[in-house]
Each structure stands twice: as structure tokens, then as C-alpha cells.
Amino acid sequence: MASNLQENVLQDQTIMNNQSTESCSSLGVEETPKEEIRTLKSLLQESLRKRYEDTLKAPDEIPLKMYVSSRTHLDGQIVHEMRELERPYNEDIKDENVINYDDLLKPRSSTGGRIRRIMMRGISGCGKTTAVRKFVSDWAHGRTHQHIDFVFPLHLCELNILHDKKLSLIEHLDLLFPKLLKPETLEGSQILFIWDGLGEFRFTLKFKRTKTCTDPVTPVSVGCMLVNLLKGNLLPSAQILVTSRLKDAGLIPPEYIQRVVELHGLDDLQWEELIRSEVRDQNVAARAIVHVKSSRSLYIMRSLPFFCQMASTVLEELFSNCCNTDPPLTLTEMFTHFLLIQMKRHVEKSAKSSTEEILKLGELAWHMLEKNTLTFMEKDQKETNTDPLLPVKLSEDWPMFFRKQHLMGLGKMYRFTHPCVQEFLAALYVAVHYEPSKGNVMSFTLAEKAKMLLSPTDVPPDMHRRAVDRALRSKTGQLDIFLLFLLGICAGPSNKLLSCFFQNTSLRVRTEDVVKNILQKIKAKPLFEISVNLSRCLEELDVALPVVQNRGPVEFQMDEDVHVTPSEWSHIATTLLTSEDSSLTFDVSKYAKVDEAIMRLLPVIKISRVLRLDEATDLSWALIASALRSPANRIREINIEKNALSYINLSVLSVGMSSPNCKVEALSLQGIETLESCKILAAALCSSSCRLQELDLRRCYWSSEDQALQLLSEAFRHPNFKVTVLRLEIKHETASALFSAFQENPSHLRKLELSLFLRLTLGLQQLFSLLADPCFKLETLRIAHPCYDK
């Protein structure tokens, strides 16, 4: 579908050229500038409708959930995209920060200034380009943003071909939309530039050393033009929307971005719906959904549409055809099965073996990965001595992996469909060619060369050690997923499945050696980001993971009595997910490793009705908060025992409780230590989205009970407080504030249980008088007085 769009760009431009020439000749002097703009706007809209008609069949169903981010700048931070996928709770992105794309260009408030420059960012494949297509399609069809006269969408990778040319802004636009605009038309129009794929522009944007350009007819370099548009020197009234991967967002300084929004892909309802729409047999679809949930490696990828489509293809093939092959539990296995399915279809179509072509595709993938780019251009063909006809043939034979794009009639460009596709094929190529090339397929560092000179040998250094070292040297995690795939191919379950690629070479990698080396690296460099990625590599090998603390220095603990492998966790998850128990209770005390249990069984927690906690860490609370924020969660009751409260992070939990997706109706707390916790709880109870019906605070111990009850009383009198069953324990003469709150908000409470540890004669008299109030609908009152029982 996307390839059809790219194929038709030149044809669209020719049609538009003819139409604009005809329209301009008919304009004459009779049309006013406004009428001329309206005519040209109609021409542009018609061109864009044709260009995007095949890409969006059901635009209203495309996920466009965006969040205004408080992380306005990420420069200087190491952003590992796989780690971003795993973030159980994003403290900067909250439900109230959701923004409709219709409001994307609007000021923050009625008194706020005009928003000129917006960045839309997210990990690869989360939906940025899809959001752009819908935005453009809706404008072209006259549905939204009609105050804008001209929308110019552009993939920044297309400008790479012009890096050595100097053109004016008008000339640039003329390449995309021939003979549409004149300079005076630009100056008097409302214009939106959409630049898709900031990181795919290969040349640095030099904001400090770029000369100023204010004239749209002055020829300048591409970088100079982009910088001057962002600075407002060129067309200062024009608005600019830039899309970027998280790791590339720092390429534009923060002072040139006024609004940042983030996309997080599909939510828990959408990814399941996508799989159901991709798989024909709904019984197979249901089984596929359970399988993805059962494996953490697969489950954390669920928000990416391309992964869901790939998983649908693989699992439908395996489950529908009663294959004897075990379904994939790791990311490497999933990509391996997908590759083998595509190779099988290719053989059926052409009756030719495809291993050689796949390795050639892998060679291109590896060369481009080393250059940190998804795209392959004519310039790259010369640098790598690639046959010019090779990318043409590969794009025709393997469109699921590699596609052709036209570049404004100036040349051709090829790109991998997703970074993970490129990284998997690159890993396969390196694994196959490592020993035959004596390790030269991975360029040697000076240190490695010196070591080889001092200790000459015919056997190349261990591939897995060099790959781990190389990945750790990358500051942006550029080779993280490549490493994961490489180790999964060489030492994981995928090795046997890919035997057709290793018929003429040996692959001598022992899983034990890989595991030992990774654990040594983790202990030597106890940084959380590094440790998480290396732990993911262990998971690809189906090895029980060490316990990793989520804050501060990393510590490792291996319980000698309990070694649960990822595949065993998957079996536990599958059993619970298919139990069909509508009253499922998830009790954390049943598991020795709490963090890992919650992490591995998070899909089970989401479908549980009751959640019981007696031990938890910050990571556990973040995971639980993410479950409460999921639109698919079924949690109705949470019981937090005393042990858990010594580690409680109520500030995180309250965000989950305040989410519109939270369905918790009963909450029981034990042993809270601090007044701060009481403030957080009171704020959560006042949330407009709080659905709590039953609250049990009988076993809470406040450090300052009078202040705690005062805070709770403020929450109880709040109009959003709609609890019907309340259980409290009172030790001080502070009940009057509590009963006053009931008097101000009397209509919801139906059952009240009080444990009194002092004689509260005045307070009880106040309560009894409240019972006579017809607005006070209390049906059950229970008062326990332990002091009297002694």
C-alpha cells in the first residue's frame, strides 16, 4: 500500500503540473489574491487526496492518541528505544495530557501565543508517519484545519539527494509541487510544513553557524533552508510539524520547539483488535493474543502495529496448519519464523532458493546499520561497490523487508521497512559470514588489531564477545537490538530453524559462554540502561534472569532454589490467561521473586478481579500503575498488606488510580507511615475519574492522626468522593472534622464501620444527630470500641 503511494508520486506531480498551468492561465487579472489562494489550495488538496487515497482506508479507526510531553528536550540523554518500550510507567505522560490531533496547532490557552513549531516524537514504528498521513488526508478532504492554505508534507530523507545542491525555497517546493506557488503567494498564505523523519536527514543542522536567509528565492543549501525556516527567518508566519524518533529529538535545540507531543502506539484494546482483524479465524486470533501475552519478549512489542501484523502472520500460519514447530517465545524466534514464511512463499512463487538473496539483503542491512541509516541511495551503491541492479531486484522480491522510494524525480532511494527488520537481517548476515571472513565482517578496533598482532592465531576472536563490547560502546543504543538478534541466532532456539543459512559454515557459539560473558559485563558496568539490555539478551537464550534493582547501583541476586526460565514463565502465564476464571485473584505472596512475577505476569494482573500485595518495590508499583491505566484491565479490588507498605510508592499508584481507565471499586490499605502518603491518597480520592466504592483504612497508622484525618475529611467532603462503604480507625479526639465532612457530602455513604480507641462522646453525639438528617442515607453503622472490651 505504501509502495503504491511512492510509485504514484511522479504521476501525481505531472498531473498537478498540467492542472496548475491551466489554472494559472485562466486566472488572469480578474481573480483577487484570496481567490487565487483558494484555487491553488484546491489544486494542492486534490493532489494530496490522490497521493494518500490508498494509505488510509478507514482514517477514523487509526490510533492517534498523543500526549503533550513535559520532557521537552532529550539532548544529552541516552535514549534506548527498546528500553522506552519497556517503561512500565512514564511519569511525564499522564492521561490528562492527551491531545487530539485537531488541537495540535492550537495555543495552550486562549491567552497563549501562536504555536509555530511542534515536534511529534516516539519510538520507531509507533505511528508517527500514520498520524501525519491522517493529518494531511483530513486537510486535503476539507475535514480539519481549513484555516491553513497550504500543507507541504515531506520525508526528510528525500532531501538527502540534494545535499550538494543550492536551491531556493521556491525551487524546493517546485520539485514537490510543480509550478504551484509564486513568492508573493507564499508570503500572504497560512502554510504548514510537515517534516517526517528528522533522524533520516543525514546532515547536521548547524543552528549556530548557518547564514541567515530571509528571501524564499535565494538559493541556499538544504540544511541552511531548514534551519532558517525553524528560526523564523524564512516565512516567519509558517508553522512546522517535525516527527522524530526519541533518540534523534535532540538534533533540534529546545528553543526552536514550542510544543512536544509523544506517540506510544497501540493501547491494550487496539493491539488485540488489530490481531483479530489480521487473522481470519477468530479462534486462532484469540489463541494468538494469549500467546503474545504469555511471553514478555513479545508482549512489550505489542504497541507497534508492524509487530502485531508480523505476529498475526506467524501465529496464524503455525496455529492454523497444525505445525509441529513450537510457537516463538522470543523476538528472534518471531522474526525467524516470519523470514522463513516469506522465503517459503517466495519459493512457491518463483521455484528458486532464496537464501542467497536474503544474505545479500543482510549485507546491505549491515552496511547501512554501521552508517546508522535505514536508507540506501545511489551514493551508497558507489561507496559499497554494490551492483546498481541489486537493490532494484531485492525491493521487487522482498517488499516486506525492503522498498523503493522515488525522490522528486531526481533519483531512487531504498529503505528497510523498520529498524528491527534491518537489525535482524544484519545480524543474520554477520552470523553467517563471521568465521569465513575470519571476523573481518565486523571491523576490528585498533585495540583488537594490536591484540591480534601480539597473539597471532588462525581462529578469529569470539564473535559474541566482540558484539557485546561493540554494542556497549554505542551511546545511543544503536546496536542493542542487533546484539539481541545476533545472540539469539547464534546461541538461542532460532539456530536450528536457520540451519539452511549455515550449511557451508560452522557456528561455534556455546550458550554457556555467552551467558557467562554477559553476567560479567553486567557486574562490571552496573548501569541500569546497560543491564536491562544485556538482561534482554539472556532472555532471548531462555535463561533465568538475575534480579536487577531499578534505581541506583545494580545488584544481582540469584535464588539458588528457584530458577524459572522465560519459557516456564510463559507456561504459567498461558495457564492463567486461559483459565476463564472471572473472579481471578492474583496473590503476589505466592511468588518468590515479586518484581519478576509482576513483570512476567502483567497480562494476568490486568485480567484479574482482585490484586493482593504483601511485598513490592518501586518497579512493582510502576507496573501495577501501568496495569490500572490500561483500557483492557479488569481489576476491581486491591488489598495492600502491611509488608508492601514499607515499600509503597503511592505517588505512582495514585496516577494509576486517577486514570479514566482505572476500574478499582474497593481499596484496602494497611500500615501507612507518613502524612505525605495521606496527602497523595486524599488527592486520588478527589479525582473525577475515581470509581472507588469501598475504602478500608482500619489498619492504617498515621504519624500525625489529627492532620491525617483533617486531610481525609477534606477529601470526604469533595463532590467527587462517592465511596459507599468506609472503614476507619480513630485514636484521637479529631472525629468532629470527619463527621462535618459527612454532613456536607451525605448522599453517597451507605455503610460506615468505626473502630474507636478513645471515648468520643461529643463526636458520637455529632454522628447520631447526623443520622436524623434525611439527606444522610446511611444504612449500616458499626462501632467497635476495643477500649471497652478490655
Side-chain angles (χ1 to χ4, degrees):
M1 191 173 290
S3 59
N4 291 338
L5 165 68
Q6 296 154 6
E7 297 284 351
N8 292 331
V9 169
L10 290 179
Q11 182 181 355
D12 290 347
Q13 289 176 343
T14 303
I15 294 172
M16 188 171 178
N17 192 356
N18 296 334
Q19 289 176 330
S20 60
T21 302
E22 294 171 5
S23 64
C24 288
S25 63
S26 64
L27 286 175
V29 294
E30 297 179 1
E31 285 200 337
T32 66
K34 288 186 178 180
E35 290 171 337
E36 181 181 356
I37 288 175
R38 282 197 294 269
T39 302
L40 295 174
K41 176 180 179 179
S42 297
L43 284 174
L44 179 59
Q45 288 179 319
E46 182 180 355
S47 173
L48 292 175
R49 284 197 298 271
K50 292 178 180 178
R51 188 177 297 188
Y52 286 87
E53 64 183 354
D54 290 334
T55 64
L56 296 171
K57 293 300 183 184
D60 293 334
E61 297 176 8
I62 293 176
L64 280 175
K65 198 170 187 180
M66 297 181 291
Y67 300 82
V68 177
S69 175
S70 60
R71 298 191 298 173
T72 54
H73 200 49
L74 298 176
D75 191 23
Q77 298 183 29
I78 298 177
V79 179
H80 295 246
E81 290 213 332
M82 185 56 70
R83 179 56 187 150
E84 286 293 316
L85 270 176
E86 294 189 75
R87 292 181 77 182
Y89 161 69
N90 189 333
E91 63 277 4
D92 304 298
I93 303 297
K94 300 178 181 178
D95 294 292
E96 58 266 29
N97 290 343
V98 172
I99 182 172
N100 294 323
Y101 84 102
D102 294 354
D103 300 325
L104 198 57
L105 306 179
K106 294 179 180 178
R108 296 180 180 86
S109 63
S110 58
T111 58
R114 186 165 177 262
I115 301 291
R116 272 202 67 241
R117 295 154 301 198
I118 305 103
M119 177 174 284
M120 180 190 297
R121 68 189 183 198
I123 62 173
S124 301
C126 70
K128 300 183 294 295
T129 298
T130 300
V132 164
R133 287 174 183 165
K134 184 177 186 337
F135 187 104
V136 175
S137 178
D138 279 357
W139 178 80
H141 284 86
R143 289 190 283 260
T144 59
H145 297 98
Q146 292 308 292
H147 66 285
I148 299 174
D149 298 317
F150 303 108
V151 172
F152 296 120
L154 175 67
H155 288 281
L156 286 178
C157 61
E158 296 182 10
L159 295 182
N160 291 325
I161 201 168
L162 301 174
H163 73 282
D164 57 350
K165 295 179 172 59
K166 287 192 175 183
L167 298 172
S168 69
L169 175 59
I170 288 290
E171 290 171 323
H172 275 104
L173 292 176
D174 196 53
L175 288 172
L176 287 169
F177 308 98
K179 299 183 180 178
L180 177 69
L181 296 178
K182 296 177 289 188
E184 55 270 26
T185 310
L186 272 182
E187 296 288 352
S189 306
Q190 291 290 322
I191 295 175
L192 172 66
F193 293 98
I194 300 180
W195 300 343
D196 195 15
L198 176 62
E200 294 183 41
F201 183 64
R202 294 189 182 184
F203 307 97
T204 305
L205 297 177
K206 300 176 181 178
F207 285 84
K208 293 183 178 179
R209 291 178 291 170
T210 297
K211 69 175 184 179
T212 300
C213 176
T214 60
D215 189 352
V217 298
T218 300
V220 293
S221 67
V222 175
C224 181
M225 179 192 72
L226 297 178
V227 168
N228 277 283
L229 281 169
L230 282 166
K231 284 186 172 182
N233 298 326
L234 267 176
L235 300 183
S237 64
Q239 293 178 288
I240 301 171
L241 171 61
V242 186
T243 74
S244 172
R245 291 182 291 179
L246 289 175
K247 72 185 190 71
D248 300 320
L251 296 175
I252 298 178
E255 58 265 31
Y256 299 112
I257 298 294
Q258 293 165 291
R259 172 175 286 164
V260 176
V261 296
E262 291 191 8
L263 273 72
H264 294 265
L266 305 171
D267 64 27
D268 278 347
L269 294 178
Q270 291 168 331
W271 77 263
E272 291 187 22
E273 187 56 37
L274 179 55
I275 287 184
R276 291 190 188 97
S277 67
E278 294 282 331
V279 178
R280 287 162 291 187
D281 187 328
Q282 290 306 294
N283 291 327
V284 173
R287 187 178 172 190
I289 290 169
V290 168
H291 183 78
V292 171
K293 288 181 177 180
S294 73
S295 165
R296 180 172 174 266
S297 286
L298 305 183
Y299 187 65
I300 63 173
M301 300 289 289
R302 70 194 184 281
S303 63
L304 304 183
F306 100 94
F307 172 79
C308 293
Q309 291 167 337
M310 178 176 65
S312 299
T313 300
V314 170
L315 297 176
E316 183 176 32
E317 176 84 9
L318 296 180
F319 293 157
S320 299
N321 298 330
C322 300
C323 297
N324 294 325
T325 308
D326 291 331
L329 288 175
T330 68
L331 201 56
T332 309
E333 287 179 280
M334 182 65 80
F335 273 84
T336 297
H337 279 286
F338 186 67
L339 172 63
L340 294 177
I341 289 171
Q342 300 305 317
M343 291 173 64
K344 176 184 174 183
R345 293 176 179 176
H346 184 269
V347 170
E348 292 172 350
K349 182 179 179 180
S350 65
K352 294 180 181 179
S353 173
S354 53
T355 54
E356 185 178 347
E357 275 198 355
I358 290 296
L359 289 176
K360 287 181 179 177
L361 195 54
E363 183 177 10
L364 289 184
W366 175 237
H367 288 320
M368 294 301 98
L369 185 62
E370 287 192 299
K371 296 178 69 171
N372 195 23
T373 178
L374 280 169
T375 58
F376 186 80
M377 303 173 65
E378 292 177 7
K379 175 175 176 284
D380 302 311
Q381 292 179 5
K382 298 174 184 177
E383 292 179 358
T384 56
N385 294 320
T386 302
D387 181 352
L389 297 178
L390 179 62
V392 178
K393 182 165 176 35
L394 293 176
S395 65
E396 292 172 351
D397 291 347
W398 306 99
M400 297 299 292
F401 303 138
F402 194 61
R403 291 178 182 165
K404 177 174 66 176
Q405 278 186 271
H406 286 287
L407 296 181
M408 300 177 288
L410 301 177
K412 295 178 182 177
M413 180 184 73
Y414 303 85
R415 61 184 291 120
F416 291 93
T417 53
H418 191 274
C420 283
V421 170
Q422 179 186 14
E423 288 152 340
F424 176 78
L425 293 171
L428 178 60
Y429 170 75
V430 170
V432 171
H433 286 88
Y434 188 82
E435 292 205 3
S437 70
K438 295 186 178 180
N440 284 297
V441 68
M442 293 174 60
S443 55
F444 288 98
T445 63
L446 289 176
E448 289 172 332
K449 290 178 180 178
K451 187 176 180 180
M452 292 168 65
L453 286 173
L454 293 173
S455 304
T457 177
D458 292 334
V459 180
D462 288 339
M463 176 179 64
H464 68 91
R465 294 180 186 276
R466 289 186 63 205
V468 169
D469 290 340
R470 187 162 180 171
L472 292 180
R473 286 197 296 270
S474 171
K475 293 183 179 180
T476 60
Q478 174 189 345
L479 297 177
D480 284 359
I481 311 303
F482 164 80
L483 175 65
L484 181 144
F485 283 139
L486 183 66
L487 299 182
I489 289 170
C490 298
S494 292
N495 185 248
K496 293 181 180 178
L497 295 171
L498 294 169
S499 58
C500 61
F501 289 96
F502 297 98
Q503 292 177 351
N504 300 320
T505 183
S506 59
L507 190 65
R508 297 173 294 184
V509 179
R510 295 175 66 246
T511 303
E512 296 84 356
D513 294 339
V514 175
V515 173
K516 182 179 179 181
N517 180 54
I518 288 177
L519 289 176
Q520 288 174 345
K521 294 293 184 183
I522 293 176
K523 291 178 181 178
K525 293 189 175 182
L527 296 175
F528 184 52
E529 299 289 348
I530 292 175
S531 303
V532 167
N533 187 58
L534 292 179
S535 295
R536 282 292 314 278
C537 293
L538 292 179
E539 195 163 345
E540 291 293 309
L541 308 180
D542 197 23
V543 175
L545 304 184
V547 176
V548 184
Q549 283 189 356
N550 68 312
R551 290 191 177 182
V554 178
E555 295 181 3
F556 295 90
Q557 301 170 356
M558 292 296 289
D559 190 335
E560 298 299 330
D561 299 325
V562 183
H563 288 287
V564 184
T565 65
S567 58
E568 290 168 336
W569 278 114
S570 178
H571 177 72
I572 295 170
T574 301
T575 301
L576 293 172
L577 287 167
T578 56
S579 66
E580 298 184 357
D581 182 0
S582 60
S583 60
L584 183 65
T585 296
F586 187 90
D587 191 343
V588 172
S589 65
K590 295 181 179 179
Y591 302 94
K593 297 179 180 179
V594 175
D595 274 356
E596 187 171 13
I598 293 177
M599 181 173 61
R600 297 281 184 191
L601 302 179
L602 191 62
V604 178
I605 291 175
K606 290 178 181 179
I607 67 163
S608 300
R609 184 172 182 82
V610 180
L611 177 60
R612 289 179 180 164
L613 294 164
D614 66 352
E615 183 179 352
T617 66
D618 281 348
L619 177 59
S620 296
W621 290 117
L623 289 164
I624 292 165
S626 74
L628 294 175
R629 295 174 67 182
S630 167
N633 92 83
R634 304 178 193 170
I635 303 171
R636 295 295 186 274
E637 181 179 341
I638 299 179
N639 296 323
I640 304 177
E641 304 295 334
K642 186 173 182 180
N643 290 347
L645 269 297
S646 58
Y647 304 104
I648 194 170
N649 191 333
L650 265 182
S651 61
V652 171
L653 182 64
S654 65
V655 173
M657 293 284 292
S658 301
S659 169
N661 294 322
C662 179
K663 304 174 183 69
V664 174
E665 298 171 351
L667 175 66
S668 176
L669 295 174
Q670 243 191 76
I672 295 179
E673 310 298 350
T674 64
L675 195 60
E676 185 63 29
S677 298
C678 186
K679 290 180 182 178
I680 295 169
L681 175 62
L685 294 174
C686 296
S687 169
S688 59
S689 57
C690 183
R691 302 187 187 183
L692 212 59
Q693 297 291 308
E694 185 173 337
L695 179 62
D696 189 345
L697 300 175
R698 285 177 299 180
R699 292 168 289 180
C700 290
Y701 305 101
W702 316 106
S703 56
S704 177
E705 184 170 311
D706 55 344
Q707 295 183 52
L709 282 179
Q710 188 66 40
L711 287 169
L712 288 175
S713 298
E714 291 297 323
F716 294 163
R717 60 168 49 95
H718 195 280
N720 288 334
F721 182 77
K722 298 177 181 178
V723 168
T724 59
V725 178
L726 178 63
R727 299 180 178 92
L728 280 174
E729 188 174 273
I730 302 175
K731 293 184 177 181
H732 298 287
E733 293 274 2
T734 53
S736 57
L738 189 67
F739 299 140
S740 296
F742 294 154
Q743 194 167 10
E744 292 183 30
N745 184 17
S747 59
H748 297 288
L749 203 61
R750 295 293 181 272
K751 183 176 182 179
L752 178 63
E753 296 185 10
L754 298 175
S755 296
L756 305 180
F757 282 80
L758 290 174
R759 296 178 183 275
L760 299 175
T761 306
L762 294 177
L764 288 178
Q765 287 178 353
Q766 187 178 4
L767 174 61
F768 294 148
S769 64
L770 183 60
L771 293 175
D773 187 339
C775 294
F776 195 48
K777 309 291 186 180
L778 195 69
E779 298 171 356
T780 304
L781 174 63
R782 291 179 180 171
I783 300 177
H785 208 319
C787 293
Y788 289 162
D789 295 337
K790 292 181 179 179

